[in-house]
Amino acid sequence: RKAAVKQAGNNIIEVGEMNPTDAKEVLKKSLLRTHLLNEDEAVIKLLELLSYLPLAIIQAAAFINENRSSISSYLALYKGGEEEIIEVLSEDFEDQGRYRDMKNPIATTWLISFDQILRQDQLAAEYLSFMSCLVPENIPKSLLPLTQSLNKTLKAIGTLTAYSFSTERELDQSFDIHRLVHLATRNWLRREEKLVLWSNKALIRLADVYPSGDYKQRATWTAYLPHARHVLALPHLSDGNKEAEIKLLFKVGCCLDSNGQYVEAEQMHRQTLELRRKVLGPEHPDTLMSMNELASALSG
C-alpha cells in the first residue's frame, strides 16, 4: 500500500482476498488428481483455513500431490500444527492490512511441508536453509553447496520445486524463493538456533566461489554480487570466520573496481583493510595489498 501510494497517488486499484470460487479454481489447477475436489466439505474447510491465499493453497496442493494424500488427511495435519512453532514462523510477516489472518496459513503450510522434507530429503532442507541466507531472487545454481552426488543434487532441487518452496529459472540456471517462504525458513532457523550457522556457511561458500576482478568472469560475479552484498550485511556472522569475510570483501571490492563502481569499491576495500590490520597486522603483505587496492579505488 505504501509503495502504491508513493508511485500512483490516488490512482490505486485495491486487490482484496480471493473469493471461494476463485480459490477453488486455484486449487483445481494446482492438483494433479482433480477428483479430490469431490470432497466438497473438506475443500471448503481447507480453503477457509488457508484464508483463500494463493501461496498457501499452492503449497497445500504441492504437499497433497507429492504425498498422494487426500484433502481430508491434509486437513488433519493442518489441525495438528504446533501453535507455538507457527507463531514463531509467523514473526516479521508483513502486509497484515492486505489479507485477513495471513500469517498462520503460510507458516502452517510451510511447516507441514518442511517437516516432510526433513524426513524425506535432508539435502533439500539444507539447500533451503542455505538459500534463505541469500537474496530470495535469482539465486544461481552454481552457488549451491557442492555434493558428491549429482543425482542427490538434482533430487533435492526437484523436491524444493515440487513443494513450491522454490521456482527454477531454466534459462538463467537460477532459483527464486517466495518472500514468505524465505522469511518462514529464516524464522525456523532462528528458532532452532541455526541461523548463525547457515549465515556463515553462505559466507564461506561465497568467499570460495566468488571470482576475482577478471573481466572475463563479469557475468558470474555480477550474478553473485547481490548475494555477496546481502551476506556481508548480515548482523549475525561469526567472529570465527573473519578470514572468509576478508576474502569476500576483497574479491567484491576488486570486481566493483573493475566495473568502475569506485565509491562502493572504496567502501569494500576500507572494510578489508580495517579487518586485515586487526587480524594480520599493519605490515602483513595482504594488508599492504589492501592499501594498494584502496588507493586504486580512490584514484579511479
Side-chain angles (χ1 to χ4, degrees):
R1 185 184 298 275
K2 289 180 181 178
V5 171
K6 183 177 180 180
Q7 296 296 325
N10 294 328
N11 189 25
I12 297 173
I13 299 174
E14 297 232 4
V15 180
E17 296 180 13
M18 285 197 301
N19 59 45
T21 302
D22 291 338
K24 187 174 181 179
E25 187 64 23
V26 171
L27 181 61
K28 179 181 178 181
K29 290 182 177 180
S30 302
L31 287 173
L32 295 178
R33 296 168 296 147
T34 55
H35 68 270
L36 294 177
L37 294 171
N38 294 332
E39 298 182 75
D40 291 329
E41 290 186 15
V43 168
I44 292 171
K45 183 63 176 175
L46 177 64
L47 295 176
E48 287 177 350
L49 285 171
L50 299 181
S51 299
Y52 309 118
L53 285 173
L55 176 61
I57 294 169
I58 291 168
Q59 285 189 347
F63 182 97
I64 291 168
N65 290 337
E66 191 70 10
N67 296 280
R68 296 190 62 80
S69 65
S70 67
I71 291 177
S72 297
S73 61
Y74 183 81
L75 272 174
L77 292 172
Y78 190 94
K79 293 176 182 177
E82 299 177 48
E83 287 300 318
E84 183 180 348
I85 299 177
I86 300 303
E87 185 176 347
V88 171
L89 296 184
S90 298
E91 287 179 2
D92 307 321
F93 275 35
E94 301 171 355
D95 302 333
Q96 291 95 332
R98 184 176 177 195
Y99 293 117
R100 163 177 55 87
D101 298 329
M102 75 168 292
K103 294 181 179 181
N104 291 342
I106 300 295
T108 307
T109 51
W110 182 93
L111 180 61
I112 290 171
S113 295
F114 191 68
D115 279 346
Q116 186 75 9
I117 289 174
L118 280 173
R119 290 191 294 269
Q120 290 182 340
D121 193 339
Q122 183 65 35
L123 183 59
E126 291 177 3
Y127 278 171
L128 184 62
S129 300
F130 177 83
M131 289 191 285
S132 75
C133 296
L134 305 175
V135 176
E137 296 87 24
N138 203 13
I139 301 171
K141 188 182 293 186
S142 55
L143 264 186
L144 295 177
L146 293 175
T147 64
Q148 295 180 339
S149 170
L150 177 60
N151 184 54
K152 287 183 178 179
T153 297
L154 294 176
K155 181 176 179 289
I157 292 171
T159 296
L160 294 179
T161 304
Y163 280 92
S164 293
F165 277 2
S166 69
T167 54
E168 189 170 0
R169 299 187 185 187
E170 294 185 7
L171 294 178
D172 297 336
Q173 290 287 293
S174 64
F175 305 94
D176 294 330
I177 304 177
H178 192 283
R179 179 179 62 87
L180 298 182
V181 171
H182 186 265
L183 183 58
T185 307
R186 290 181 60 78
N187 284 343
W188 183 86
L189 289 174
R190 188 178 292 111
R191 176 184 179 275
E192 297 294 315
E193 299 183 350
K194 294 180 179 179
L195 187 55
V196 172
L197 171 68
W198 282 102
S199 295
N200 282 281
K201 285 188 177 186
L203 171 67
I204 292 169
R205 175 63 178 163
L206 270 161
D208 287 342
V209 302
Y210 203 94
S212 64
D214 185 351
Y215 204 77
K216 293 179 181 178
Q217 296 179 298
R218 187 176 185 275
T220 301
W221 59 254
T222 299
Y224 289 0
L225 183 58
H227 305 289
R229 285 189 179 118
H230 180 80
V231 169
L232 287 168
L234 291 176
H236 35 253
L237 294 175
S238 170
D239 288 338
N241 282 317
K242 287 300 179 187
E243 183 178 343
E245 186 176 357
I246 290 170
K247 186 177 179 181
L248 182 57
L249 278 167
F250 182 76
K251 286 182 174 181
V252 170
C254 289
C255 289
L256 291 169
D257 198 11
S258 174
N259 203 39
Q261 296 172 257
Y262 300 118
V263 173
E264 194 174 358
E266 175 194 340
Q267 295 172 351
M268 294 293 177
H269 286 310
R270 282 192 186 279
Q271 292 180 59
T272 307
L273 179 58
E274 289 175 10
L275 285 173
R276 279 180 167 167
R277 277 175 174 163
K278 291 178 183 178
V279 176
L280 303 174
E283 302 299 327
H284 193 279
D286 288 348
T287 305
L288 298 176
M289 184 186 298
S290 287
M291 292 179 67
N292 182 65
E293 293 296 338
L294 176 57
S296 175
L298 287 170
S299 64

